[in-house]
């Protein structure tokens, strides 16, 4: 959700803070702010709108960095910064972070659920509030404890977090200890980067990569005290020792690499990241899958499994729907795919031989994290399909299967989706091999199909010029239907989600067979239909029948397929024909033209592709 950046070290703080916030701007972007201590007082700059507004406000304060100009003395070497995605209070300068109360200044990602109660108490004690946010109460609360109870900065933070309820990642400074930042964390992500004589703090690893790859992840309930080159952690006032993780991503991976938008770059990265997801997990000599991170025998109880729950949100939920088809078809295990936001509040009958699977790109999605916790409360074994090493979900799950997609910056997920499908495919085939539901020949066939996948994705990406022209022809339409059958129905839903996310048009995905049960009433010359269909048996024939229903009502059809029959070419206004694709790979390959259609449609409409309105990359609050 919101982006957080902090710095303690020899450099001038503002260039470091703003540079980090630029790499986090995809997390929140309706306002931004930074603060530092100068001559015993807080200097705070805040601006509504994009980060560029804050940069304009700072002006030449961003020009000097003592790491580049060692002869220049820094005004201050400690600072905190924030990009906001509004929850409490309108997106304006007053509600922007940082918030100051007396000696305390802080930034916050999350939601303080009992802020109204705390605010009323503080008002009764004479406190005056300037903003509409829930965050400001925390600054006042800490300052109140320091002033009224004469306790230390750290003790005041401890007491405050024992009172507040909700999700939070807090970076806190005080005028009385200007060389230190205190962090408090619950549910919202925060990481610390350690380097020689300097320390960096951020809500996402990507912001730290230009400076260090040695990362300390702060866990729920922990408080961290950060100084130059050091970070000490505690929980319940007791020391916590945690070795830094060494992250292999580099800073260049998180840059655009010559592409106009991160989304386009990430679409083009898909052949490589899919390869990275199965690299080292397939033994082509023995024609087997090796997933050493997962204990299939004892923890996952693979041979005796009779039920699997999958919970996720958004794009990851669509990946879960495709995973359901793979697992049920290959391993013959019934699968329920749940919206995590619903699963966490349901009354689920515990099953003895069940498994819970969480799917999340960021590993910080609050509803998926809550669903995972609920499954564990029922004593259901859990594992996660996740991209971000050391994320909350990855740490909380019993086991984790990493997707190795690298940093995904664009809010609209692309490469994470394909790597999630790849990981789910590996998991399903491995389950089937253990349970004996696929023969050795069938496993060989499926592994060979997976090895061919990166090249098939690359060939689909190379159709971008053709897809761009089609997308531009349809940019005047405000309503779209997306259709698919079988395991291509979730692909249709994902295509609709991509278009609505970044183009701000109404798009809805349906199973093609459901057309006659209501959606067909929407079909006319002003509501184009995009259909994904592959030659996978009866589904192709049935989908063709559904398209005839659209055609007969004057609907325009854009078809994406592996092989187009004469009938399809006659019915559709445009056909994107990708050539022979192994059946199991259809969801991955046919997704790519839908991603490109959404991307070029958004570009032609002039919307903000990487940072669409009202959306954040990681939804870390309910």
């Amino acid at each position: 959700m919101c982006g957080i950046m902090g710095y303690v070290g020899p450099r001038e703080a503002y260039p470091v803070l703003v540079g980090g916030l630029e790499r986090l701007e995809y997390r929140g972007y309706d306002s931004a702010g930074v603060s530092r201590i100068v001559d015993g007082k807080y200097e705070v700059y805040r601006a509504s709108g994009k980060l560029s507004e804050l940069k304009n406000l700072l002006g030449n304060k961003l020009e000097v960095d003592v790491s580049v100009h060692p002869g220049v003395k820094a005004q201050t070497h400690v600072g905190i910064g924030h990009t906001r995605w509004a929850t409490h209070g309108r997106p304006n300068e007053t509600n922007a972070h940082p918030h100051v109360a007396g000696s305390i200044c802080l930034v916050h990602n999350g939601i303080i659920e009992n802020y109204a109660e705390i605010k009323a108490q503080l008002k009764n004690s004479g406190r005056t509030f300037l903003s509409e946010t829930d965050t400001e109460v925390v600054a006042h609360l800490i300052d109140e404890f320091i002033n009224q109870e004469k306790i230390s900065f750290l003790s005041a933070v401890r007491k405050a977090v024992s009172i507040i309820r909700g999700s939070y990642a807090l970076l806190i400074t005080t005028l009385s200890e200007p060389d230190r930042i205190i962090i408090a964390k619950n549910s919202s992500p925060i990481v610390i980067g350690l380097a020689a004589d300097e320390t960096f703090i951020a809500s996402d690893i990507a912001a730290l990569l230009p400076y260090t790859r040695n990362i300390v992840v702060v866990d729920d309930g922990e408080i961290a005290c950060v100084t130059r080159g050091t970070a000490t952690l505690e929980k319940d006032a007791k020391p916590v020792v945690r070795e830094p993780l060494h992250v292999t991503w580099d800073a260049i991976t998180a840059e655009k690499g010559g592409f106009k938008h991160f989304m386009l770059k990430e679409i083009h990265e898909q052949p490589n990241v899919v390869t990275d997801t199965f690299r080292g997990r397939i033994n082509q000599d023995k024609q087997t899958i090796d997933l050493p991170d997962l204990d299939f025998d004892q923890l996952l109880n693979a041979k005796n499994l009779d039920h699997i729950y999958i919970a996720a949100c958004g794009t990851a939920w669509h990946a879960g729907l495709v995973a359901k088809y793979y697992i049920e078809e290959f391993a013959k295990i019934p699968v329920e795919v749940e919206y995590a936001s619903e699963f966490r509040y349901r009354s689920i009958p515990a099953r003895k031989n069940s498994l819970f699977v969480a799917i999340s790109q960021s590993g910080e999605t609050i509803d998926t994290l809550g669903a995972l916790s609920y499954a564990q409360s029922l004593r259901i074994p859990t594992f996660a399909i996740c991209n971000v090493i050391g994320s909350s979900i990855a740490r909380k799950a019993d086991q984790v299967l990493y997707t190795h997609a690298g940093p995904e910056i664009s809010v609209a997920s692309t490469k994470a989706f394909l790597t999630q499908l790849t990981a789910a495919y590996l998991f399903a085939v491995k389950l089937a091999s253990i349970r004996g539901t696929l023969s050795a020949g069938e496993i060989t066939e499926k592994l060979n199909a997976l090895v061919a996948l990166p090249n098939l994705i690359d060939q689909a990406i190379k159709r971008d010029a053709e897809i761009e022209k089609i997308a531009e022809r349809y940019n005047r339409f405000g309503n779209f239907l997306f259709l698919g059958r079988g395991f291509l129905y979730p692909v249709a839903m994902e295509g609709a989600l991509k278009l609505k996310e970044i183009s701000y048009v109404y798009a809805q995905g349906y199973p093609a067979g459901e057309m006659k049960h209501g959606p067909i009433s929407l079909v006319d010359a002003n509501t184009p239909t995009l259909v994904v269909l592959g030659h996978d048996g009866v589904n192709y024939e049935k989908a063709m029948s559904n398209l005839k229903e659209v055609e007969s009502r004057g609907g325009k059809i854009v078809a994406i397929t592996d092989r187009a029959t004469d009938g399809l070419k006659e019915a559709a206004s445009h056909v994107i024909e990708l050539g022979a694709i192994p059946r199991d790979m259809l969801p991955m390959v046919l997704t790519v033209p839908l991603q490109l259609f959404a991307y070029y449609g958004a570009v032609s409409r002039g919307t903000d592709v990487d940072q669409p309105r009202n959306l954040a990359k990681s939804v870390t609050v309910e």
Side-chain angles (χ1 to χ4, degrees):
M1 172 162 272
C2 302
I4 288 176
M5 190 71 189
Y7 177 71
V8 184
R11 309 175 196 236
E12 175 59 76
Y14 283 159
V16 176
L17 295 175
V18 173
L21 293 177
E22 284 180 318
R23 287 178 285 277
L24 294 171
E25 196 176 7
Y26 65 96
R27 293 181 65 93
Y29 39 81
D30 59 46
S31 60
V34 291
S35 72
R36 63 183 185 179
I37 300 171
V38 179
D39 297 329
K41 297 179 181 179
Y42 283 118
E43 179 182 86
V44 179
Y45 287 90
R46 303 185 302 191
S48 62
K50 297 284 187 176
L51 186 60
S52 58
E53 298 299 322
L54 177 64
K55 292 174 69 176
N56 290 337
L57 195 62
L58 287 166
N60 61 13
K61 292 181 183 294
L62 295 175
E63 294 178 3
V64 176
D65 188 332
V66 296
S67 65
V68 180
H69 304 281
V72 179
K73 184 179 180 180
Q75 276 192 281
T76 183
H77 55 263
V78 176
I80 55 177
H82 188 268
T83 55
R84 181 174 185 250
W85 190 72
T87 52
H88 292 77
R90 291 164 292 178
N92 57 28
E93 187 273 334
T94 302
N95 292 326
H97 300 210
H99 289 287
V100 177
S103 65
I104 298 298
C105 181
L106 59 76
V107 295
H108 167 224
N109 177 16
I111 290 178
I112 307 302
E113 295 173 358
N114 59 336
Y115 85 98
E117 172 189 337
I118 297 171
K119 188 172 185 178
Q121 294 171 355
L122 289 168
K123 279 186 172 181
N124 288 337
S125 68
R127 291 274 169 171
T128 300
F129 290 82
L130 301 178
S131 76
E132 303 168 298
T133 70
D134 55 333
T135 299
E136 191 182 357
V137 302
V138 185
H140 280 281
L141 192 61
I142 297 170
D143 189 61
E144 182 81 357
F145 290 147
I146 291 173
N147 289 326
Q148 298 301 318
E149 301 187 17
K150 308 303 180 183
I151 58 177
S152 70
F153 178 30
L154 177 57
S155 296
V157 172
R158 288 173 180 160
K159 187 166 184 178
V161 298
S162 72
I163 292 173
I164 62 176
R165 297 195 308 270
S167 60
Y168 51 83
L170 292 160
L171 267 59
I172 313 158
T173 60
T174 181
L175 294 174
S176 62
E177 299 181 37
D179 296 331
R180 180 156 65 146
I181 297 173
I182 291 184
I183 302 166
K185 192 263 189 192
N186 185 55
S187 294
S188 296
I190 202 76
V191 292
I192 302 168
L194 297 175
D197 198 36
E198 57 186 343
T199 310
F200 306 84
I201 310 163
S203 48
D204 196 312
I205 291 173
L208 307 182
L209 295 179
Y211 309 107
T212 181
R213 299 186 195 176
N214 295 319
I215 306 299
V216 175
V217 179
V218 184
D219 274 338
D220 284 352
E222 292 181 346
I223 292 174
C225 295
V226 172
T227 55
R228 287 174 63 153
T230 67
T232 57
L233 280 72
E234 64 170 58
K235 187 171 185 177
D236 300 325
K238 297 177 181 178
V240 173
V241 177
R242 181 170 301 122
E243 290 297 317
L245 298 168
H246 184 73
V247 178
T248 56
W249 300 347
D250 57 39
I252 296 174
T253 308
E255 299 299 330
K256 291 182 183 177
F259 290 93
K260 186 176 181 180
H261 296 98
F262 280 113
M263 182 178 178
L264 186 59
K265 172 180 180 282
E266 288 157 7
I267 290 172
H268 280 257
E269 288 176 341
Q270 290 178 126
N272 291 332
V273 296
V274 163
T275 302
D276 290 341
T277 299
F278 68 69
R279 189 194 310 275
R281 293 169 168 170
I282 294 178
N283 187 322
Q284 288 189 271
D285 292 334
K286 296 182 179 180
Q287 289 296 297
T288 59
I289 291 176
D290 183 21
L291 300 177
D293 295 339
L294 302 182
D295 179 354
F296 282 87
D297 294 330
Q298 186 171 359
L299 184 61
L300 301 186
N301 194 22
K303 290 185 178 180
N304 299 316
L305 274 180
D306 58 22
H307 190 83
I308 295 176
Y309 297 103
I310 297 176
C313 301
T315 287
W317 184 73
H318 298 153
L321 290 173
V322 178
K324 169 185 170 72
Y325 281 91
Y326 286 149
I327 294 169
E328 290 186 340
E329 182 175 324
F330 301 169
K332 312 303 181 188
I333 303 171
V335 178
E336 287 184 59
V337 184
E338 303 268 1
Y339 285 111
S341 57
E342 293 293 323
F343 181 89
R344 65 183 299 196
Y345 296 116
R346 285 182 53 199
S347 178
I348 304 294
R351 296 171 180 260
K352 181 179 179 181
N353 295 318
S354 60
L355 173 69
F356 176 88
V357 182
I359 305 178
S360 172
Q361 186 283 134
S362 68
E364 303 293 349
T365 309
I366 192 68
D367 285 317
T368 308
L369 190 58
L372 175 61
S373 296
Y374 178 47
Q376 290 177 330
S377 74
L378 298 175
R379 300 184 183 279
I380 300 174
T382 63
F383 97 90
I385 294 174
C386 186
N387 185 40
V388 178
I389 296 169
S391 60
S392 297
I393 289 172
R395 298 195 312 278
K396 190 172 185 63
D398 297 330
Q399 298 183 61
V400 61
L401 184 61
Y402 285 112
T403 55
H404 303 307
E408 187 177 65
I409 305 302
S410 179
V411 168
S413 180
T414 52
K415 64 177 180 174
F417 180 65
L418 288 202
T419 56
Q420 287 164 354
L421 296 188
T422 304
Y425 185 83
L426 288 168
F427 176 70
V429 176
K430 180 67 175 180
L431 267 184
S433 69
I434 292 171
R435 295 167 63 87
T437 51
L438 288 177
S439 68
E442 288 171 324
I443 291 173
T444 296
E445 180 182 326
K446 293 187 182 304
L447 296 187
N448 288 341
L450 187 58
V451 171
L453 177 61
N455 183 59
L456 295 171
I457 295 171
D458 185 59
Q459 294 304 310
I461 292 171
K462 288 178 179 177
R463 306 291 291 275
D464 62 344
E466 171 191 354
I467 297 167
E468 181 179 10
K469 291 179 181 178
I470 296 172
E472 288 174 347
R473 293 186 64 171
Y474 284 85
N475 69 2
R476 67 181 178 86
F477 294 97
N479 299 285
F480 289 81
L481 293 175
F482 285 71
L483 302 179
R485 276 183 171 267
F487 59 8
L488 294 180
Y489 153 53
V491 171
M493 295 178 70
E494 174 63 11
L497 177 62
K498 289 285 98 60
L499 186 63
K500 73 177 75 168
E501 279 181 319
I502 61 176
S503 290
Y504 315 148
V505 299
Y506 181 78
Q508 190 64 45
Y510 286 100
E514 288 296 299
M515 280 290 289
K516 63 179 68 69
H517 298 289
I520 199 167
S521 65
L522 300 174
V523 173
D524 59 25
N526 294 313
T527 305
T529 297
L530 278 81
V531 62
V532 283
L533 67 170
H535 276 76
D536 58 342
V538 67
N539 280 332
Y540 186 89
E541 298 172 2
K542 295 295 184 182
M544 281 299 303
S545 297
N546 301 133
L547 290 185
K548 288 293 184 181
E549 296 170 349
V550 174
E551 181 191 19
S552 67
R553 287 160 177 81
K556 298 180 183 298
I557 298 170
V558 177
I560 300 168
T561 186
D562 55 341
R563 180 163 48 90
T565 61
D566 290 341
L568 180 60
K569 292 176 182 177
E570 291 172 3
S573 303
H574 297 91
V575 177
I576 301 167
E577 187 176 7
L578 299 178
I581 300 169
R583 176 183 174 275
D584 292 341
M585 299 298 105
L586 286 169
M588 287 87 133
V589 182
L590 297 188
T591 292
V592 175
L594 293 177
Q595 294 171 342
L596 290 167
F597 182 87
Y599 170 76
Y600 285 116
V603 170
S604 66
R605 288 175 173 85
T607 62
D608 191 336
V609 173
D610 285 331
Q611 297 171 13
R613 68 188 184 199
N614 302 332
L615 296 176
K617 183 64 178 175
S618 302
V619 182
T620 57
V621 296
E622 288 192 73

